[in-house]
Amino acid sequence: MTDPATKSFRAMATRLMPDAVEARFRADFDAVPNDDDAALDAPAILARAEGCRGIVCSPTEPFDGELIARLPESVEILATFSVGCDHIDLEAARARGLIVANTPDVLTDATADATMLCLLGAARMAQQSEAVLRQGRWGRWSPREMLGVHMSGKRLGIVGMGRIGQAVARRAKGFGMRVMYHNRRELPPEQAEGAAFHADPASLLPQCDFLALTCPLTPETHHWLDAARIALLPDGAVVANTARGPVVEDDALIAALQSGKIAAAGLDVFTGEPALDPRYLDLETAFLLPHIGSATVETRNAMGNRALDNLAAHATGAPYPSRVA
Ligand code: 8YV
């Protein structure tokens, strides 16, 4: 039976969520859905938020300090349909007393899988190989063509050893890779998955045949992979980014792909997405995905349900499953 505390809780969603999540949202809450999944700019969000106590948002809507300050007084909680919170000014939220909750844990495996997809897709020239087929260029099998690089036995550096980084480490061990990581702090052995800690990126990078970026986007990680750090990588390294586009400095990565300094890159996220630097599209050695890190039915349902669980906890006074501010 629907809890009267949630049924009377007015909440808007900025996006149309997966069917099962939408059904729960509409059944359990006083829901203001976005039926046609229209792109909502700040004025549209403010208009819809009138009288709402909760907002389910996603990384496609930046909640900057200005928007947060202008939210109707009725709004008490922002539940984002994401683990990443870089689209939300958390300081502004705290200053206004706005609670912010996210969706960690439930997307760890899907995003770690996508990271392996990016590493493998880049290392094994997946996009060039598929293009050969689709463009009818597959003449005959050749001992010399489409030669990627092996992952087994290689060294993988993981930048950002949170839940997703740790799940990538577990998978990489299964691939026979030697795993190292850089993180704000060293992890206890039971979380480190046997990976060697490097406090200093300068000691990690020269050892990375493969590099996976799985850190949150913060002022410290903005353009983390820049020209100076790329120069420290071994020639022919392979890079994967499933974190956020701006963790990479595009000019530097594109120059390194053009020169072959970086042999290949698997990228699921881009600065300014869905627009991306068009030079990536001309690079055969870039394996490109449209931010599908968490895009499985199971994961998106779990993310949506977690966002609704956060709202329900607020409505009923229960502990928040995952509060960040
Ligand atoms: C989401 C993500 O798919 O959760 C995150 O932070 O990057 C992805 O899992 C995306 O943000 C849309 O919600």
Side-chain angles (χ1 to χ4, degrees), residues 239-257:
V239 171
N241 185 11
T242 50
R244 285 290 184 266
V247 172
V248 164
E249 191 181 2
D250 285 333
D251 281 345
L253 179 58
I254 289 165
L257 285 165

Side-chain angles (χ1 to χ4, degrees), residues 121-122 125-129 131 249-267 270 276-288:
M125 308 172 76
Q127 89 73 30
Q128 296 100 308
S129 303
E249 191 181 2
D250 285 333
D251 281 345
L253 179 58
I254 289 165
L257 285 165
Q258 285 167 341
S259 72
K261 165 72 188 176
I262 289 183
L267 308 174
F270 301 90
L276 66 155
D277 191 314
R279 290 174 294 173
Y280 281 122
L281 300 171
D282 295 331
L283 279 162
E284 275 215 307
T285 51
F287 173 68
L288 309 173

Side-chain angles (χ1 to χ4, degrees), residues 58-59 81-84 107 244 291 294 300 303:
S58 86
F81 192 115
S82 63
V83 66
L107 47 62
R244 285 290 184 266
H291 200 150
S294 66
R300 289 285 167 82
M303 290 168 73

